[in-house]
Each structure stands twice: as structure tokens, then as C-alpha cells.
């Protein structure tokens, strides 16, 4: 589920926190970095459980409606399509997900059920919902299309839900887009045959990605003198102290990848950190960083300090 860019962002944020600390502790910050990364899977599980809670709230609404003394014909014959949705049934029945939620004590929706109500209220206004519950017979594909629309059009873009996520855990703000993308892709592929294997994804693509996060964090912290020296003299109009803290960290991350990560192409490193700078630093940072990194690449190549492994990695 994690992308290399997201790993770079987590490392960058951890380095920033380390630099801002009055008593910096490498091991402690390293543990917090991985804790922050691990929380991404918590958000994924919580978001899936929200679909289940919305379904359950709909079932409760149906029971109450039918018990009303003066229930209307519509209320008495209320559609059970949403309640019987097969995709949500697969999510509910997935033991790995339910065990994860139980062990992490993640079912916040029992206490914070007002957000379930907000989202259900929004859902009931949607034309795709009205069309879905009007169906006399529902295929698995229609169930799947409905849940995908529910997530993409109602849950993911809801501002109150986003605010709730931000208030619950600040680290989830950066995770929100990538988790939403992962869930949307999973909902488009899930079936009874593959549910067990794809519903709860691995956080890292492979062990190399976790090691990459650790190595990048350690290189930037432990090689700070070397990386700082590389930047010296490359900013004639700027003193090192005047360079924004985040810009300096991004530069050091880039330089570290040039010098110590032989399997990562130079151009990939530059492109990734320019995109990160656009999102996390000042408006002109990407131009500034691009200029410095370009100068350094030429200098490192001339002095044969860059040693990339594999074809086309320069």
C-alpha cells in the first residue's frame, strides 16, 4: 500500500521532528517514524469498518421504521438491498480485518456514531442510492458498483469525515489520500474468491521498502556533516541559516539518495523531492531545490561520487 513517495514524506517529517527536539534521540525518533507509518493500516481498517457501520445503522433504521405505529407503506416495505450488500458482507466476514480492529481497539464508530449518521443522511440524498434500493433483484456487480460509489462519492470527499480523521490522529492527514486510493482499488477488485488475500493489504510492498525507510532516515541524520558540506557554496545568494528548514531536509534527502542508494535513479530522486517540496514547503522551494540538486548531480558525476547500479539509472 505504501508508495516510495509516502515513505520519503514520513522520513522527512521524522527528520524535521528530530531536528526540532530539544533532546534528540535517534532510536526514539526511529521508533516513532515506524509507529507513524504503521498507523496508516489503522486508518485503512477504520475506513472499511465505516462501511459496515453504515450498513448496520441502515438495518437499525429499517427495524425502527417498520415498528412505527403509523408506518407508511414505503417504510413497511423498505428496501434491504444495502443491508444485504454482498461486498459489505465480505468485509464483515473477513477474520483478519475484524481481528485487527479488535486487537487495535479501532471501532471508534460505536462512540462516534454521529459521523455514521451524517454520511447516511448524505447517502440517502444521492440518485445512485435511490436507484440501487429500487432494484428488485441485485447482482454482485451492482452491489460492488454501489459500494464503490458510496466510498468514492460520499465517504472519501466528506469534509466532516476528513476533519474527524484529522482530529483523531494528526498523522492520518498525510495518509488519507493514499488510503482512500487503496480502498477504492480494492473495492473494484474484491470478490468472494480473492477477498481473503486482498482485503487486508501488506503495508510495505516488500521488506526492501521498510529497510529503505530506515536507511534513509539514518543516513540523513548520521551523515549530516557530509550532506551539509555538499550544500555549502551552492547557494551564493543564501546563507545556510536562511534556507528554510524543510528545504534543507529535502536537499539532504536528495543528496543522500544520490550518494548512498545506488539502485535509485538520479532523475527519480529529483522528481520525487520536487513534488514533495511543492506540497510541503514554500511556493518557490521546488525551483530552488531543483537548481541545487542539478548542480550537485553534475559535480558528483564529474568527481565520480555517484555510483548507480543497473542500466539507465543516471
Amino acid at each position: 500500500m505504501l508508495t516510495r513517495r509516502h515513505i520519503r514524506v514520513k522520513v522527512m517529517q521524522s527528520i524535521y521532528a528530530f531536528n526540532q527536539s530539544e533532546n534528540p534521540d535517534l532510536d526514539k525518533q526511529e521508533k516513532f517514524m515506524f509507529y507513524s507509518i504503521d498507523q496508516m493500516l489503522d486508518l485503512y481498517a477504520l475506513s472499511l469498518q465505516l462501511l459496515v457501520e453504515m450498513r448496520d445503522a441502515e438495518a437499525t433504521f429499517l427495524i425502527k421504521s417498520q415498528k412505527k405505529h403509523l408506518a407508511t407503506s414505503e417504510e413497511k416495505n423498505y428496501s434491504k438491498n444495502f443491508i444485504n450488500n454482498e461486498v459489505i458482507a465480505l468485509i464483515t466476514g473477513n477474520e483478519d480485518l475484524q481481528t485487527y480492529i479488535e486487537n487495535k481497539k479501532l471501532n471508534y464508530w460505536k462512540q462516534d456514531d454521529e459521523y455514521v449518521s451524517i454520511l447516511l443522511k448524505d447517502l440517502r440524498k444521492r440518485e445512485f442510492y435511490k436507484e440501487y434500493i429500487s432494484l428488485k433483484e441485485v447482482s454482485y456487480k451492482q452491489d460492488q458498483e454501489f459500494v464503490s460509489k458510496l466510498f468514492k462519492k460520499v465517504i472519501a470527499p466528506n469534509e466532516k469525515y476528513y476533519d474527524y480523521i484529522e482530529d483523531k490522529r494528526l498523522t492520518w492527514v498525510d495518509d488519507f489520500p493514499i488510503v482512500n486510493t487503496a480502498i477504492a482499488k480494492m473495492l473494484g477488485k474484491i470478490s468472494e474468491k480473492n477477498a481473503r488475500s486482498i482485503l487486508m493489504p501488506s503495508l510495505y510492498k516488500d521488506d526492501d521498502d521498510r529497510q529503505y525507510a530506515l536507511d534513509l532516515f539514518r543516513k540523513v541524520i548520521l551523515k549530516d556533516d557530509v550532506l551539509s558540506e555538499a550544500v555549502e557554496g551552492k547557494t551564493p545568494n543564501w546563507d545556510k541559516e536562511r534556507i528554510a528548514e524543510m528545504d534543507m531536509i529535502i536537499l539532504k534527502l536528495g543528496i543522500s539518495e544520490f550518494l548512498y542508494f545506488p539502485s535509485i535513479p538520479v532523475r527519480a530522486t529529483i522528481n520525487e523531492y520536487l513534488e514533495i517540496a511543492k506540497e510541503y514547503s514554500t511556493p518557490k522551494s521546488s525551483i530552488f531545490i531543483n537548481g541545487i540538486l542539478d548542480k550537485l548531480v553534475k559535480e558528483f558525476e564529474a568527481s565520480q561520487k555517484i555510483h548507480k547500479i543497473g542500466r539507465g539509472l543516471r
Side-chain angles (χ1 to χ4, degrees):
M1 184 164 57
L2 268 171
T3 65
R4 280 290 177 103
R5 181 177 299 176
H6 204 64
I7 292 173
R8 287 178 171 103
V9 168
K10 291 292 188 182
V11 173
M12 176 190 72
Q13 291 170 334
S14 296
I15 293 167
Y16 181 82
F18 180 87
N19 290 347
Q20 296 299 309
S21 175
E22 291 184 5
N23 299 295
D25 185 316
L26 183 65
D27 291 337
K28 185 176 179 181
Q29 189 60 50
E30 197 174 276
K31 288 177 182 177
F32 183 79
M33 178 181 73
F34 283 118
Y35 170 73
S36 172
I37 291 173
D38 290 345
Q39 285 190 90
M40 189 175 172
L41 204 54
D42 290 0
L43 177 58
Y44 179 93
L46 182 70
S47 300
L48 285 185
Q49 188 62 22
L50 179 55
L51 290 168
V52 176
E53 293 298 327
M54 289 181 71
R55 190 261 332 256
D56 291 349
E58 181 82 341
T60 301
F61 174 79
L62 171 60
I63 293 169
K64 289 181 178 179
S65 297
Q66 292 178 337
K67 286 183 177 179
K68 286 169 64 175
H69 180 62
L70 297 174
T72 65
S73 175
E74 183 181 359
E75 288 171 331
K76 289 179 180 179
N77 300 291
Y78 197 82
S79 171
K80 293 184 179 179
N81 291 352
F82 184 15
I83 298 165
N84 295 331
N85 185 283
E86 291 187 59
V87 174
I88 298 179
L90 289 174
I91 295 171
T92 308
N94 187 274
E95 292 181 4
D96 292 338
L97 173 63
Q98 298 309 322
T99 299
Y100 186 90
I101 289 170
E102 184 178 346
N103 289 344
K104 289 293 194 82
K105 297 180 173 59
L106 281 174
N107 198 355
Y108 302 148
W109 306 121
K110 297 300 182 186
Q111 291 181 324
D112 303 327
D113 58 353
E114 66 269 26
Y115 292 94
V116 177
S117 299
I118 288 169
L119 291 166
L120 265 180
K121 188 176 180 181
D122 183 6
L123 174 63
R124 291 183 183 126
K125 296 175 185 177
R126 304 297 182 114
E127 283 302 317
F128 76 85
Y129 170 78
K130 294 174 184 176
E131 291 172 5
Y132 175 70
I133 63 171
S134 70
L135 295 171
K136 299 301 181 184
E137 293 184 6
V138 185
S139 67
Y140 180 85
K141 185 177 181 181
Q142 288 170 321
D143 276 345
Q144 189 174 30
E145 288 174 351
F146 169 74
V147 176
S148 291
K149 287 179 181 177
L150 164 56
F151 187 78
K152 291 177 184 177
K153 296 186 176 183
V154 177
I155 295 176
N158 188 278
E159 291 184 5
K160 290 184 178 179
Y161 176 54
Y162 178 85
D163 291 342
Y164 170 80
I165 292 301
E166 184 178 23
D167 290 341
K168 206 69 180 176
R169 296 188 196 175
L170 187 58
T171 57
W172 277 347
V173 173
D174 292 311
D175 300 335
F176 196 65
I178 196 167
V179 167
N180 287 345
T181 299
I183 290 176
K185 287 181 179 178
M186 182 276 294
L187 291 175
K189 296 177 181 177
I190 191 171
S191 68
E192 188 174 355
K193 290 182 179 179
N194 66 19
R196 187 172 180 83
S197 62
I198 74 165
L199 205 143
M200 280 296 287
S202 298
L203 186 57
Y204 298 94
K205 183 176 67 176
D206 51 39
D207 291 341
D208 288 346
D209 274 0
R210 191 182 191 283
Q211 190 63 44
Y212 164 70
L214 178 61
D215 290 345
L216 185 60
F217 175 75
R218 286 179 175 175
K219 287 294 184 186
V220 174
I221 297 297
L222 299 177
K223 297 284 187 178
D224 184 70
D225 290 346
V226 174
L227 301 176
S228 294
E229 185 179 348
V231 178
E232 292 281 356
K234 303 301 180 297
T235 55
N237 298 323
W238 293 85
D239 295 329
K240 189 173 73 173
E241 289 72 20
R242 291 179 58 203
I243 299 175
E245 174 74 9
M246 198 61 78
D247 288 357
M248 182 60 79
I249 292 172
I250 292 172
L251 284 169
K252 290 177 180 178
L253 285 163
I255 298 165
S256 182
E257 288 194 14
F258 292 159
L259 299 178
Y260 308 120
F261 292 81
S263 65
I264 300 177
V266 166
R267 183 44 54 187
T269 292
I270 294 175
N271 289 343
E272 285 290 283
Y273 287 116
L274 292 185
E275 291 303 315
I276 290 171
K278 288 175 186 176
E279 188 170 352
Y280 290 93
S281 200
T282 64
K284 295 182 179 179
S285 289
S286 62
I287 298 171
F288 170 73
I289 289 169
N290 187 41
I292 302 300
L293 292 181
D294 274 342
K295 284 182 184 178
L296 286 169
V297 167
K298 292 173 184 176
E299 181 182 298
F300 291 158
E301 287 181 339
S303 59
Q304 297 185 330
K305 289 183 178 180
I306 293 181
H307 303 284
K308 297 295 182 180
I309 299 171
R311 297 176 64 183
L313 289 186
R314 292 213 167 184

